[in-house]
Amino acid sequence: MLRLTLIVAATKSNGIGQSSRLPWKLPKEMKYFAQVTSNAPEGTMNAVIMGRNTWESIPKKFRPLPNRKNIVVSSTADYVLDTPAHVERDLTSAFNRAQEDSVHRVFIIGGAKLYTDTIALPSTSPVFVDRVLLTRIIEPDFECDVFMPDFLTQHWQRASHEELETWVGLSDVAEGVQEENGVKYEFQMWTRQVE
């Protein structure tokens, strides 16, 4: 059984992007993302699965994301990468690739189609999302043209801040509403209630 963690920053209306980029600049939030997706026990590594557009939105100098197994899902048959990362044609192949070697955790990092496709996987399937690490953008209400699915319509429960810190393995996750560059946001963790 493979359990996936979806990690995302989203507005209250679940907006995640505008014109193929993030509509906010939050260095502390990006540092949190990097720490969480990189933190793995010695001798293991986390995998990050992303769509082609998400991969291409990462500046070249930061690709592949260091200290993580980078897996890009693209249905384009001749799509190749110019850096050491893996291209898979579908989610099943990406999941199989993620389970190779000594992978600790598997994170879905975008975009909207991968969020939608993975969050829809039933908890009875061998692969499903059991956790969402959500950076909730509280204000301002950014204009977005890309949205993630409203997962809270399903059976999800918000974890405590202590549970979040324990799971991510970091003891210094900022608690409560944070403000950076005029943007208010909060680090949250939601867990799926498996039937």
Side-chain angles (χ1 to χ4, degrees):
M1 178 179 294
L2 178 62
R3 297 197 173 191
L4 309 170
T5 299
L6 192 148
I7 186 165
V8 62
T11 66
K12 290 188 284 187
S13 60
N14 291 322
I16 60 172
Q18 172 70 24
S19 302
S20 299
R21 60 182 209 52
L22 293 175
W24 45 78
K25 290 197 183 301
L26 302 172
K28 291 178 185 173
E29 197 278 332
M30 290 301 290
K31 180 181 177 186
Y32 167 80
F33 167 86
Q35 288 177 319
V36 168
T37 57
S38 299
N39 190 23
E42 190 171 334
T44 68
M45 179 181 286
N46 293 328
V48 288
I49 299 177
M50 69 198 90
R52 180 181 54 81
N53 290 338
T54 298
W55 170 262
E56 291 177 356
S57 73
I58 300 169
K60 282 190 174 187
K61 65 182 179 179
F62 297 119
R63 297 190 313 221
L65 297 176
N67 305 316
R68 287 155 279 188
K69 178 185 267 191
N70 288 237
I71 303 168
V72 180
V73 179
S74 175
S75 58
T76 304
D78 58 351
Y79 188 72
V80 292
L81 303 176
D82 57 357
T83 60
H86 306 278
V87 177
E88 299 297 340
R89 301 296 171 228
D90 55 47
L91 274 176
T92 301
S93 299
F95 297 152
N96 290 337
R97 172 73 69 177
Q99 293 181 85
E100 293 177 355
D101 307 319
S102 299
V103 170
H104 177 57
R105 291 181 173 150
V106 179
F107 292 92
I108 305 298
I109 67 168
K113 181 170 178 9
L114 280 191
Y115 288 146
T116 300
D117 291 349
T118 55
I119 207 86
L121 295 168
S123 61
T124 54
S125 71
V127 179
F128 66 95
V129 174
D130 74 340
R131 187 172 315 270
V132 175
L133 297 177
L134 171 66
T135 300
R136 179 61 82 190
I137 306 295
I138 299 167
E139 61 180 47
D141 188 18
F142 287 92
E143 185 75 27
C144 292
D145 58 13
V146 179
F147 297 84
M148 69 171 286
D150 184 9
F151 70 94
L152 295 179
T153 60
Q154 301 173 24
H155 303 286
W156 292 84
Q157 179 177 338
R158 184 170 172 183
S160 69
H161 184 75
E162 293 75 25
E163 290 170 313
L164 165 63
E165 285 187 322
T166 298
W167 191 85
V168 300
L170 303 170
S171 60
D172 60 349
V173 177
E175 184 174 5
V177 176
Q178 306 301 303
E179 187 162 356
E180 184 177 4
N181 294 332
V183 178
K184 291 184 178 178
Y185 62 90
E186 183 179 27
F187 298 121
Q188 302 176 0
M189 181 170 77
W190 294 81
T191 56
R192 190 177 204 163
Q193 304 308 296
V194 180
E195 300 167 9

